[in-house]
Amino acid sequence: MDFLRLVTREEKTGEERALCTLDTCQIEESYYNYRPSLAANGTFLALFLLSLLAFLVQVTLSKRFIGFTIAMVSGCLLEVLGYIGRIMSYHNPFGENGFLMQICCLTIAPAFLAAGIYLTLSRIVVTFGPENSRIKPLSYPRIFIPCDILSLVLQALGGGMASAASHSNKNPETGNHIMVTGLAVQVFTLLVFMLLCTDFAIRTVVRMNRMGEAALDPTHAALRGSMKFRLFLVALTLSTICIFIRSVYRVVELGEGWDGALIKNQTLFIVLEGVMVVIAVLVLNGFHPGLCFREGYIKKPKAEKQRGSGRFWRRKRKEAVIEKGTQIQDDA
């Protein structure tokens, strides 16, 4: 043990920590200040993997909301990788790879989940009627997706810089600050999104009280009356709130730095990170928009569908030629 100096967590370098084991060093000298729970992290890994597979099956069945599914699958995949990193850290809490893997992947993942949520709002606005919204339906993704991309880029850039600094035994503070900035952008974007959603809901109710059903788009009456669609709105609301709570927690946690009090509290991490994000994805598995919107899709009669096809118009032209030829013969 001569080469393993028992120093404080702040004094121990990455190289010295890499030489540590659970038998030779105190757990307080690890990257976490605790040993990550195998049961909790294993459960989260299984749930996110299940959610990822469910989103793939659901998009195959519905063949709709492709962008939403890509965002959710990407987020779940990063969550899976992040919890693999934490399980690696259970076996070796002094190892750098598992720590960096989980802090980067779990920090970035909800940005993809938020993007999936943003993509659904324009469909909801169209369902109730664009007249009830302050901005056009397509303006929602055009505003929020770029903000989400900015948040994602800042978090990824900061995570990469912090990881590189840590590998070089340098202070990761600069990269961490950039990650926090990205998280702050995500929190602000989510807050504005929730305010606009609330404003849209209030305006819709006010117009309905004043105008009755005339305030709503009659084309989508069947969809609005669908129980699945109504439950989807509840699920989307719950998912958004959970991601917002989680994002606020991570801003405060990482704002303290990698040696702050919150990052050393495993219970808070499990509840405010793991549980919040698991709820956010599972409720959208339970009420996937591709399936919940399907009840309200207006199915055109077969004849009407054929009317829009090239085959229909070719047949009509052929019939017109035959009819014209018949008329010429009759005139003769």
Side-chain angles (χ1 to χ4, degrees), residues 2 6 9 32 36 66 95 114 120 127 140 153 155 173 176 180 188 263 299 301 304 308 314 324:
D2 293 338
L6 294 179
R9 184 170 181 256
Y32 300 87
I66 306 298
T120 64
T127 300
Y140 288 100
V153 169
Q155 291 178 59
E173 186 175 347
N176 187 64
V180 172
F188 178 76
I263 206 170
K299 296 183 178 180
E304 187 177 343
R314 286 194 297 270
K324 185 176 181 180

Side-chain angles (χ1 to χ4, degrees), residues 57-103:
V57 171
Q58 288 169 324
V59 75
T60 302
L61 294 175
S62 68
K63 296 181 176 62
R64 297 178 185 271
F65 287 85
I66 306 298
F68 167 85
T69 301
I70 291 174
M72 301 306 287
V73 167
S74 299
C76 286
L77 179 60
L78 284 170
E79 292 287 344
V80 167
L81 294 175
Y83 283 102
I84 289 175
R86 288 186 72 84
I87 290 174
M88 289 168 58
S89 294
Y90 164 79
H91 296 290
N92 180 17
F94 305 98
E96 185 180 50
N97 291 336
F99 174 76
L100 293 177
M101 184 175 174
Q102 64 89 31
I103 201 168

